Amino acid sequence: MDPACPSDAVTATDNNTASGRAPKRPPDFLISIVVSMAVWTTAVSIAVYVDYLHYYEAFARSSRSAYPHWEFLATEVPGYFGLWLIGIISMTVMRFRLRRYLDSLESANAHLAADRVRLEKAESIASFGSWELDLRDKSFHGSQGAAAIYGLEHSTWSIPLVQSVPLPEYRPALDKALADLLAGQAPYDIQFKIRRPSDGSIRDIHSVAMYDRAAFLVTGVIHDVTEYNAAQRQIQESEQRYKLLADNAIDVIWTTDLQGRFTYVSPSILQLRGITPEEGLQTSIEDAITPASHAIVHRAIRGVVRDALAGKNSEPVYLEVEQPRKDGSTVWTEVTTRVIFGDHGQPLGLLGVSRDVSLRRAYREQLEMSLRDKDVLLREVHHRVKNNLQVISSLLNLQADSYNDPQARALLKESQQRIRSMALVHEKLYRSPHVSDIDFPDYLTTMTHELLRSSGNGKVATHVTGDAIRLDIEKAIPAGLIVNELLTNSLKHAFPPHIRDGRITVSVRRDSAGRVELTVEDNGIGMPPNLKFAEMRTMGMTVIHGLAVQLDGAISILPGPGTRVQLRFPSGQ
């Protein structure tokens, strides 16, 4: 057990008490009281005996015949007894008071030792230490923390040893700082570098001291600030790099407080708006935008600041605003801004970047105008192609009317219907908001209705179903012609006179591979069982096979009832 550690003593006492074992001998305090009482009793007894001898000698010289024992007991012994009793009480009280004082002194020493341990721990954690310079005997004393910082052993050092630790270039500044402190001219507050004797490392030290003139004692504190100084240098270097980037950036970098007043503006604002950074700092966001952009900017900034105040992690805001220049003109800028947060998460203001997009905006407007012109031109092309196809269709119709041969007239009517299906694609493209593709199910609906109307077959109904699929002109015209041929064949051959409720269904959808699946089916009499679809050499079948190859598709006959033809081809999108 370490006698200097009060906690060990308290622990040992608590363990003996907890075990219930009586101490092997009485406490020292009780023994001292008993010994003191015995000594005092012996002293009083000797005094009584000496006094009794004196009393006896006086009796021998007197003329009395009998020795007055009772007289001695009555006159002298009570006084001695009282003196003995008073002495016993006084010694006991003094012993108790002395014990209480010693206990309090021991407790104070224990607390002092505990405080010293805590101070040494605090010095180790915070990398600081304390020191004293006694000017009377030129002695230098340091705490354990100071010894660890300086890389020295023990706690008492000679002044030459202490003076050898700082680097030589700091010696004059240290001597002057101490001289100014002793003369009362300036406080002792200095930073310097040392080389530790223990490991040879270089450390940054900050020292502060005060001088007690009455005691000729200089008391100070040293702090190892090596890591702090390194962090500060990194921060300064980072700030310098960012400032260098901001000062030389083409875009304008700026910050504001929560009221919208600028707190920093990069020098590139001179090229953007024709004002200096100093002039920019005298303005706010409201002054930096034109009235036409006020509503957009205020709405965006209010939203991002409101989210920040509510603790939400808001995303950057991207705006395109018009800003005034010093010469009265305006410039269009793209602004990116977000909220700046402090160390404790509180919003401090806004950080933004403004980029001149006037040239890009002009190019965009020019491109949009060019696209509008091309869109108008392309629509006009589709319109004229549709008109030309209608002219051709009209010519075929006139030619058909000039023939008396029903077969020739039927062939011309079929060609006329093929041309109408192609013209319908161009008409849909002309009227579509997207001139590059059409809504294919809508196109099929219109085409089937027109084909049914032109055929004059009132006992057959058509129905188109499918997904919302858009096809460009390269796919829509061949696919539409195939559907036209299949519908024409169904109307001509699938419904003899006895069938009154004929139905033709056209469905279009995407399969799992992303291809377009186009199916035409009817509830008619179906195809002859011995007829092979691939071997049919009619005009219509030749057109269907050729267009299927053009679409890079595959066409097949599906089992009935009726006739079911399916075409699969890639959509190209």
Side-chain angles (χ1 to χ4, degrees):
M1 182 178 66
D2 187 358
C5 183
S7 60
D8 292 344
V10 173
T11 304
T13 304
D14 291 343
N15 291 338
N16 288 335
T17 304
S19 63
R21 294 176 298 174
K24 296 180 180 180
R25 60 183 181 83
D28 295 341
F29 173 64
L30 295 179
I31 295 175
S32 63
I33 291 178
V34 172
V35 172
S36 300
M37 292 175 64
V39 172
W40 178 246
T41 301
T42 302
V44 171
S45 300
I46 293 173
V48 171
Y49 178 72
V50 171
D51 195 14
Y52 177 77
L53 293 177
H54 291 163
Y55 197 87
Y56 183 80
E57 289 178 358
F59 169 74
R61 291 193 298 267
S62 67
S63 57
R64 298 173 65 180
S65 56
Y67 184 75
H69 295 284
W70 289 106
E71 181 180 348
F72 177 78
L73 294 175
T75 58
E76 301 297 335
V77 172
Y80 283 107
F81 178 76
L83 179 63
W84 174 80
L85 185 59
I86 290 172
I88 293 297
I89 294 173
S90 299
M91 282 189 295
T92 304
V93 171
M94 289 179 63
R95 277 288 183 178
F96 272 106
R97 289 183 176 179
L98 180 61
R99 183 59 182 178
R100 188 179 303 169
Y101 170 75
L102 294 176
D103 288 343
S104 64
L105 184 62
E106 184 178 354
S107 177
N109 289 333
H111 284 91
L112 184 61
D115 290 341
R116 185 179 294 108
V117 172
R118 285 193 291 270
L119 178 60
E120 290 175 354
K121 290 182 178 179
E123 287 183 348
S124 176
I125 294 173
S127 297
F128 76 91
S130 60
W131 55 270
E132 288 183 350
L133 173 59
D134 193 336
L135 298 178
R136 290 170 299 186
D137 57 3
K138 306 298 183 183
S139 60
F140 199 99
H141 305 278
S143 66
Q144 183 175 346
I149 292 174
Y150 263 50
L152 299 175
E153 298 179 354
H154 311 297
S155 59
T156 301
W157 314 305
S158 64
I159 292 180
L161 176 61
V162 175
Q163 290 180 337
S164 66
V165 177
L167 297 183
E169 56 265 31
Y170 293 96
R171 185 74 268 150
L174 288 167
D175 293 340
K176 184 178 184 303
L178 181 59
D180 291 343
L181 174 66
L182 298 179
Q185 296 178 356
Y188 186 91
D189 189 343
I190 187 172
Q191 288 200 26
F192 55 96
K193 292 181 179 292
I194 66 170
R195 186 187 303 275
R196 283 179 176 169
S198 57
D199 55 13
S201 61
I202 305 296
R203 310 296 294 178
D204 295 340
I205 305 298
H206 179 210
S207 182
V208 180
M210 58 181 298
Y211 177 44
D212 185 352
R213 295 184 178 277
F216 294 97
L217 191 66
V218 179
T219 304
V221 175
I222 58 173
H223 186 199
D224 188 343
V225 294
T226 306
E227 285 74 18
Y228 173 80
N229 286 350
Q232 288 297 108
R233 285 192 295 270
Q234 291 180 354
I235 293 174
Q236 291 174 1
E237 292 172 359
S238 177
E239 290 178 349
Q240 290 174 357
R241 285 196 298 268
Y242 285 128
K243 188 175 186 302
L244 183 63
L245 290 174
D247 290 347
N248 292 276
I250 298 176
D251 299 337
V252 177
I253 302 174
W254 49 266
T255 59
T256 71
D257 56 20
L258 290 178
Q259 286 70 42
R261 295 185 296 267
F262 287 106
T263 56
Y264 171 76
V265 180
S266 65
S268 52
I269 195 173
L270 184 62
Q271 286 75 32
L272 181 68
R273 295 182 54 208
I275 62 176
T276 64
E278 292 74 19
E279 292 174 327
L281 292 176
Q282 303 302 317
T283 62
S284 64
I285 291 180
E286 188 170 352
D287 303 322
I289 55 178
T290 60
S293 300
H294 278 179
I296 300 175
V297 173
H298 288 173
R299 182 168 57 252
I301 291 180
R302 279 198 302 268
V304 72
V305 172
R306 181 175 60 250
D307 291 344
L309 292 174
K312 299 179 181 178
N313 187 16
S314 58
E315 296 296 326
V317 176
Y318 302 93
L319 302 172
E320 193 167 292
V321 299
E322 190 177 18
Q323 294 189 262
R325 290 178 54 85
K326 193 173 184 178
D327 58 7
S329 62
T330 61
V331 57
W332 280 95
T333 61
E334 181 185 70
V335 177
T336 305
T337 183
R338 69 182 308 158
V339 177
I340 306 172
F341 294 94
D343 295 336
H344 303 288
Q346 75 280 11
L348 300 179
L350 298 176
L351 167 65
V353 178
S354 300
R355 173 174 296 177
D356 186 353
V357 293
S358 299
L359 187 59
R360 187 180 72 184
R361 185 180 177 88
Y363 286 153
R364 184 176 64 194
E365 292 176 352
Q366 183 179 357
L367 179 61
E368 290 174 352
M369 184 180 298
S370 176
L371 289 175
R372 286 194 298 268
D373 293 342
K374 290 181 180 179
D375 183 75
V376 172
L377 180 61
L378 190 57
R379 289 180 187 278
E380 182 64 22
V381 169
H382 286 303
H383 183 61
R384 294 196 179 193
V385 170
K386 182 211 53 164
N387 290 341
N388 292 334
L389 290 173
Q390 285 179 343
V391 169
I392 296 173
S393 176
S394 299
L395 292 174
L396 289 174
N397 186 47
L398 291 174
Q399 187 71 33
D401 292 341
S402 65
Y403 287 117
N404 294 324
D405 185 359
Q407 185 177 1
R409 296 181 66 179
L411 292 174
L412 289 175
K413 289 289 185 182
E414 290 178 4
S415 297
Q416 181 186 13
Q417 186 57 44
R418 293 184 185 107
I419 292 173
R420 284 180 179 175
S421 69
M422 291 188 292
L424 182 60
V425 172
H426 288 282
E427 183 179 358
K428 289 292 184 181
L429 288 171
Y430 170 71
R431 300 184 183 278
S432 173
H434 308 284
V435 295
S436 61
D437 54 24
I438 62 171
D439 184 345
F440 194 59
D442 176 67
Y443 162 74
L444 292 177
T445 301
T446 305
M447 187 186 71
T448 55
H449 287 170
E450 288 190 2
L451 183 60
L452 186 62
R453 178 178 55 81
S454 64
S455 69
N457 193 339
K459 60 182 181 180
V460 177
T462 60
H463 182 61
V464 177
T465 63
D467 302 334
I469 296 176
R470 303 189 69 87
L471 294 179
D472 59 24
I473 190 172
E474 301 294 333
K475 301 290 184 181
I477 288 180
L481 286 173
I482 290 175
V483 173
N484 178 79
E485 294 298 326
L486 293 174
L487 287 173
T488 302
N489 285 338
S490 293
L491 290 172
K492 288 173 62 177
H493 306 293
F495 304 105
H498 67 275
I499 297 180
R500 299 290 181 180
D501 56 347
R503 186 179 68 255
I504 301 175
T505 302
V506 181
S507 64
V508 57
R509 69 179 189 87
R510 291 188 187 275
D511 62 11
S512 58
R515 295 175 300 177
V516 177
E517 184 181 277
L518 182 60
T519 305
V520 179
E521 58 183 312
D522 60 53
N523 62 345
I525 60 175
M527 300 179 67
N530 59 347
L531 183 65
K532 296 182 179 180
F533 183 76
E535 297 177 354
M536 297 175 64
R537 291 293 181 263
T538 64
M539 175 66 179
M541 292 299 104
T542 301
V543 170
I544 290 174
H545 284 295
L547 293 174
V549 173
Q550 182 179 339
L551 289 170
D552 194 20
I555 194 164
S556 58
I557 301 295
L558 302 179
T563 301
R564 297 180 64 199
V565 181
Q566 187 176 80
L567 170 67
R568 282 194 175 96
F569 62 93
S571 64
Q573 296 180 355

